[in-house]
Amino acid sequence: MQISELFYSIQGEGKRTGNPSFFIRTNNCNLRCRFPGGNYCDTPYTSWFPDDVKNIGDTEISKITAEYSKYSCRDIVITGGEPSIYAEQLEELCIELKKTNKESFITLETNGTFTGDFIKYTDLASISPKLKSSVPFNTEFEKTHGKNRINLNVLKNYSLLKENNLIDIQLKFVFTSEADLKEIKELQTKAGFSDKDIYLMPEGISEEDLRKNRVQTIEACLKNGYNYTDRIHIIAWGDKRGV
Ligand code: SF4
């Protein structure tokens, strides 16, 4: 499995904000987000600009579980890039992590475009569907990103799993403007997500960006009955790796 980085930090977003967590960041992504104003995704070293020097590279699962064993935290966050592009290895990884700590709580952070048996071993699917505002216009990725950014069948499947109490889910949307709300509501209706699982977060890769976009994001949450989540790791450390 291609790994970008392994580190211990706090969860900075969503339902488990503040929990000490072991992060497993996989490398590579099937999408290429770029937001209005020009910000790339907040981990461009796993998508746009792979960093072969700093990214760890191909890593045995036993090495990942051994690293997790060094910390006494319950929460494990598998993030990316896009972890679910490694569906089979991801399933094996989750099984081994659960063996390492039966009490572990695995959050999978995904863009919601792929599914697989790994879901059975995941406690929380943290899904960030990419809205039109993420399309990298006038780049070589505009077409493929536009075509692949939403997989409605995968999103419906997550919704069904939640309905049957097989998994918990949260939907995190980067909020950039009022135009996003129409798209979020359409997706919500088609896939069947409830308001209480939806989180809006301000767009940005710096504290200054977040400050600029925070109030309009909170106001959109209040108006629509959604939850607000900040991005504590960016507030605390800025646009830095390994946090
Ligand atoms: S889906 Fe996530 S990792 Fe991939 S480009 Fe978009 S923000 Fe970055």
Side-chain angles (χ1 to χ4, degrees):
M1 178 175 246
Q2 289 291 326
I3 298 295
S4 167
E5 52 191 355
L6 302 171
F7 58 96
Y8 177 60
S9 187
I10 55 149
Q11 172 57 277
E13 301 170 354
K15 288 183 180 179
R16 296 183 76 83
T17 293
N19 286 14
S21 307
F22 178 66
F23 285 80
I24 301 167
R25 188 184 301 290
T26 60
N27 200 11
N28 300 316
C29 185
N30 58 323
L31 300 181
R32 293 290 184 278
C33 301
R34 199 181 64 178
F35 298 96
N39 278 344
Y40 290 95
C41 99
D42 54 2
T43 57
Y45 49 93
T46 65
S47 56
W48 283 92
F49 313 112
D51 184 338
D52 292 336
V53 177
K54 289 189 184 152
N55 288 338
I56 295 172
D58 200 17
T59 309
E60 286 169 21
I61 286 172
S62 58
K63 288 204 173 127
I64 301 173
T65 54
E67 187 66 20
Y68 169 53
S69 298
K70 292 181 187 168
Y71 306 97
S72 56
C73 63
R74 183 177 175 228
D75 276 63
I76 299 168
V77 182
I78 305 177
T79 187
E82 179 47 50
S84 63
I85 59 175
Y86 302 108
E88 272 180 35
Q89 290 156 297
L90 187 55
E91 182 186 358
E92 198 188 331
L93 173 65
C94 292
I95 292 170
E96 291 306 315
L97 288 165
K98 288 281 178 192
K99 277 189 204 161
T100 306
N101 178 5
K102 283 194 196 68
E103 301 299 314
S104 62
F105 184 99
I106 299 180
T107 298
L108 172 71
E109 296 187 335
T110 174
N111 59 27
T113 54
F114 292 105
T115 187
D117 283 344
F118 53 80
I119 293 172
K120 288 190 273 184
Y121 308 96
T122 304
D123 298 291
L124 170 66
S126 178
I127 311 155
S128 296
K130 300 306 174 202
L131 303 176
K132 282 186 195 124
S133 58
S134 68
V135 175
F137 292 107
N138 305 316
T139 71
E140 58 177 312
F141 295 107
E142 177 180 342
K143 259 198 182 152
T144 50
H145 180 100
K147 195 167 132 241
N148 299 325
R149 68 186 171 81
I150 298 290
N151 186 332
L152 200 56
N153 287 334
V154 170
L155 297 179
K156 280 182 182 167
N157 186 47
Y158 275 118
S159 183
L160 214 62
L161 289 167
K162 165 81 188 205
E163 217 177 287
N164 291 310
N165 286 321
L166 294 170
I167 193 174
D168 193 14
I169 60 170
Q170 65 184 9
L171 282 297
K172 287 187 308 184
F173 292 96
V174 173
F175 180 74
T176 60
S177 74
E178 284 287 315
D180 295 335
L181 292 169
K182 190 170 168 264
E183 213 184 334
I184 293 170
K185 285 189 187 299
E186 271 172 22
L187 263 186
Q188 201 179 347
T189 308
K190 284 183 188 161
F193 299 123
S194 80
D195 289 356
K196 69 179 173 42
D197 289 323
I198 295 189
Y199 288 74
L200 303 186
M201 55 189 180
E203 191 270 320
I205 54 170
S206 68
E207 196 184 350
E208 198 191 334
D209 290 341
L210 297 182
R211 196 182 318 118
K212 205 170 66 199
N213 298 327
R214 184 171 286 126
V215 171
Q216 62 158 356
T217 309
I218 293 172
E219 283 171 355
C221 288
L222 291 173
K223 219 159 84 191
N224 293 279
Y226 296 147
N227 306 294
Y228 173 78
T229 177
D230 222 302
R231 314 181 86 182
I232 290 177
H233 51 298
I234 293 177
I235 299 171
W237 292 289
D239 183 22
K240 228 177 110 181
R241 291 186 63 141
V243 291

mmCIF file of all heavy atoms in Angstrom, residues 9 20 48 57 88 169 226:
data_model
loop_
_atom_site.group_PDB
_atom_site.id
_atom_site.type_symbol
_atom_site.label_atom_id
_atom_site.label_comp_id
_atom_site.label_asym_id
_atom_site.label_seq_id
_atom_site.Cartn_x
_atom_site.Cartn_y
_atom_site.Cartn_z
ATOM 1 N N SER A 9 -1.761 12.738 16.040
ATOM 2 C CA SER A 9 -2.198 14.133 16.224
ATOM 3 C C SER A 9 -3.628 14.107 16.758
ATOM 4 O O SER A 9 -4.110 13.061 17.180
ATOM 5 C CB SER A 9 -2.142 14.869 14.878
ATOM 6 O OG SER A 9 -2.408 16.248 15.065
ATOM 7 N N PRO A 20 -7.458 12.328 20.279
ATOM 8 C CA PRO A 20 -6.098 11.929 19.896
ATOM 9 C C PRO A 20 -6.194 10.750 18.921
ATOM 10 O O PRO A 20 -6.940 9.806 19.179
ATOM 11 C CB PRO A 20 -5.474 11.468 21.224
ATOM 12 C CG PRO A 20 -6.350 11.996 22.285
ATOM 13 C CD PRO A 20 -7.718 12.145 21.703
ATOM 14 N N TRP A 48 -1.896 16.307 -6.546
ATOM 15 C CA TRP A 48 -1.362 17.119 -7.645
ATOM 16 C C TRP A 48 0.158 16.972 -7.804
ATOM 17 O O TRP A 48 0.673 16.865 -8.901
ATOM 18 C CB TRP A 48 -1.661 18.603 -7.380
ATOM 19 C CG TRP A 48 -3.063 19.009 -7.661
ATOM 20 C CD1 TRP A 48 -4.102 19.021 -6.775
ATOM 21 C CD2 TRP A 48 -3.599 19.458 -8.905
ATOM 22 N NE1 TRP A 48 -5.246 19.460 -7.384
ATOM 23 C CE2 TRP A 48 -4.970 19.748 -8.705
ATOM 24 C CE3 TRP A 48 -3.064 19.669 -10.177
ATOM 25 C CZ2 TRP A 48 -5.803 20.207 -9.716
ATOM 26 C CZ3 TRP A 48 -3.892 20.135 -11.186
ATOM 27 C CH2 TRP A 48 -5.234 20.394 -10.953
ATOM 28 N N GLY A 57 6.035 5.877 0.804
ATOM 29 C CA GLY A 57 6.069 4.899 -0.294
ATOM 30 C C GLY A 57 5.466 3.559 0.109
ATOM 31 O O GLY A 57 4.757 3.447 1.115
ATOM 32 N N GLU A 88 -8.569 -3.605 -1.662
ATOM 33 C CA GLU A 88 -8.227 -4.898 -1.043
ATOM 34 C C GLU A 88 -7.259 -4.744 0.108
ATOM 35 O O GLU A 88 -7.429 -5.323 1.182
ATOM 36 C CB GLU A 88 -7.610 -5.828 -2.087
ATOM 37 C CG GLU A 88 -8.682 -6.613 -2.817
ATOM 38 C CD GLU A 88 -8.097 -7.528 -3.857
ATOM 39 O OE1 GLU A 88 -6.992 -8.071 -3.622
ATOM 40 O OE2 GLU A 88 -8.739 -7.680 -4.906
ATOM 41 N N ILE A 169 -21.875 7.491 9.630
ATOM 42 C CA ILE A 169 -21.317 8.292 8.535
ATOM 43 C C ILE A 169 -21.363 9.775 8.893
ATOM 44 O O ILE A 169 -22.138 10.196 9.756
ATOM 45 C CB ILE A 169 -22.076 8.086 7.194
ATOM 46 C CG1 ILE A 169 -23.556 8.494 7.332
ATOM 47 C CG2 ILE A 169 -21.956 6.675 6.687
ATOM 48 C CD1 ILE A 169 -24.281 8.536 5.991
ATOM 49 N N TYR A 226 -27.572 22.422 9.175
ATOM 50 C CA TYR A 226 -26.398 21.559 9.082
ATOM 51 C C TYR A 226 -25.461 21.844 10.254
ATOM 52 O O TYR A 226 -25.588 22.860 10.943
ATOM 53 C CB TYR A 226 -25.641 21.810 7.773
ATOM 54 C CG TYR A 226 -26.417 21.473 6.518
ATOM 55 C CD1 TYR A 226 -26.224 22.208 5.351
ATOM 56 C CD2 TYR A 226 -27.338 20.428 6.482
ATOM 57 C CE1 TYR A 226 -26.918 21.911 4.183
ATOM 58 C CE2 TYR A 226 -28.041 20.126 5.323
ATOM 59 C CZ TYR A 226 -27.826 20.871 4.182
ATOM 60 O OH TYR A 226 -28.518 20.583 3.037
#
